[in-house]
Amino acid sequence: MNRVQYASLSIGAVALFFLVWLIVGVNQWIDPLLLPPLSDIALTIGELVNEGYKQVPLWEHIAISVSRALSAFAVAIIIGVPLGLIMGLSMPIAALLNPFVQFLRPLPKIALIPLAVVWLGIGESSKFFLIFIATFLSVVVGANASVKHIGRNRVRVAQTLGASRRQIFFHVVLPATLPDLFTTVRLSIGIGWTSLIAAEMVAATSGLGWMVINASAYLRTDIVMLGIFLLGGIGYLLDAMIVALQNKMVPWGGKE
């Protein structure tokens, strides 16, 4: 299957989904409270664009959530990738840190909300921490695992040719791990983005996650559905940007 066929099939599947939703809404086969018709979603978009939600413009809710997430993603990647690579290259460091990483990684991040509030208060710091920790732990584990895939013969050949540790890292280790690192970043950002809802449960008054939670309390299912679409759409765009960057920076990925 070529790219055109793949894209056509994907677009067709999405179009069919919305067509079925439209038919269900027009015929009222499902209670609108449970599944609002597409026409209601369209009216809700106009309402939020013109009036905002809780006196906050829709674009501001989007911008706040994206800025919270991107700042946490950036710090998690900057710290997590080198640390994971070091753990993969050094058994003593891995032995020291791995128990803590493996203990915290599967822990539901919503369980950390009380501690985040006690430690960091109810401001932006606690929200940053929850998104950061979810992303950071996944990045560390993925970066650590990527080192295991390096062929040891490559390292031995480089050592035989007199390469220094720095040269081995930048010319052997890093190129070999970059494809896996990009995959790790994609998965980690997905995990971090899902933790946005938990982060915006901490005394927030703005953001898409807060908007969805607040609207559900008033049974505004139309706003909840719109918020879900926005969260999913932004997450999709973030992933597409990483894939495009990966294709540009790691053209050799998957070709070995």
Side-chain angles (χ1 to χ4, degrees):
M1 179 180 289
N2 58 38
R3 290 186 178 182
V4 174
Q5 292 172 325
Y6 184 92
S8 299
L9 189 59
S10 296
I11 293 171
V14 173
L16 179 62
F17 170 79
F18 281 110
L19 178 61
V20 172
W21 189 354
L22 180 64
I23 293 172
V24 169
V26 169
N27 292 280
Q28 295 186 345
W29 291 340
I30 298 179
D31 188 341
L33 182 63
L34 302 177
L35 183 66
L38 280 178
S39 56
D40 288 0
I41 302 292
L43 292 174
T44 301
I45 293 173
E47 174 190 337
L48 294 184
V49 168
N50 293 325
E51 303 175 14
Y53 185 75
K54 301 295 183 181
Q55 290 76 52
V56 178
L58 180 60
W59 68 265
E60 191 170 327
H61 283 295
I62 296 172
I64 288 171
S65 289
V66 171
S67 63
R68 282 170 178 161
L70 289 183
S71 59
F73 293 162
V75 177
I77 292 168
I78 290 171
I79 299 176
V81 168
L83 182 60
L85 292 177
I86 291 171
M87 288 173 64
L89 294 169
S90 173
M91 291 295 289
I93 293 177
L96 287 172
L97 299 181
N98 205 44
F100 302 100
V101 172
Q102 295 302 335
F103 171 78
L104 291 171
R105 187 175 59 87
L107 189 69
K109 302 310 174 282
I110 196 170
L112 297 176
I113 289 179
L115 281 178
V117 172
V118 171
W119 291 344
L120 303 170
I122 60 175
E124 290 299 316
S125 297
S126 55
K127 300 172 182 59
F128 173 91
F129 169 76
L130 290 170
I131 301 172
F132 165 81
I133 197 67
T135 309
F136 170 75
L137 294 170
S138 297
V139 168
V140 170
V141 171
N144 183 7
S146 70
V147 178
K148 309 301 182 184
H149 297 161
I150 300 175
R152 295 300 174 186
N153 288 335
R154 295 184 182 183
V155 177
R156 293 191 186 99
V157 168
Q159 291 172 335
T160 301
L161 294 174
S164 64
R165 288 188 177 182
R166 184 176 182 276
Q167 289 173 324
I168 291 174
F169 179 80
F170 283 104
H171 295 285
V172 178
V173 174
L174 195 57
T177 57
L178 270 178
D180 287 339
L181 287 177
F182 268 100
T183 301
T184 292
V185 168
R186 288 181 65 190
L187 295 174
S188 301
I189 285 180
I191 294 170
W193 184 245
T194 60
S195 69
L196 181 70
I197 297 289
E200 292 187 340
M201 289 175 64
V202 184
T205 56
S206 59
L208 288 175
W210 172 82
M211 186 179 78
V212 168
I213 294 168
N214 187 267
S216 67
Y218 296 97
L219 298 180
R220 288 295 307 270
T221 318
D222 53 337
I223 295 178
V224 172
M225 292 298 296
L226 177 59
I228 290 172
F229 278 127
L230 289 172
L231 287 166
I234 294 170
Y236 184 88
L237 288 176
L238 289 174
D239 185 73
M241 290 169 60
I242 295 171
V243 171
L245 185 62
Q246 178 179 7
N247 292 336
K248 184 177 180 61
M249 292 185 62
V250 195
W252 64 86
K255 297 180 181 179
E256 297 184 8

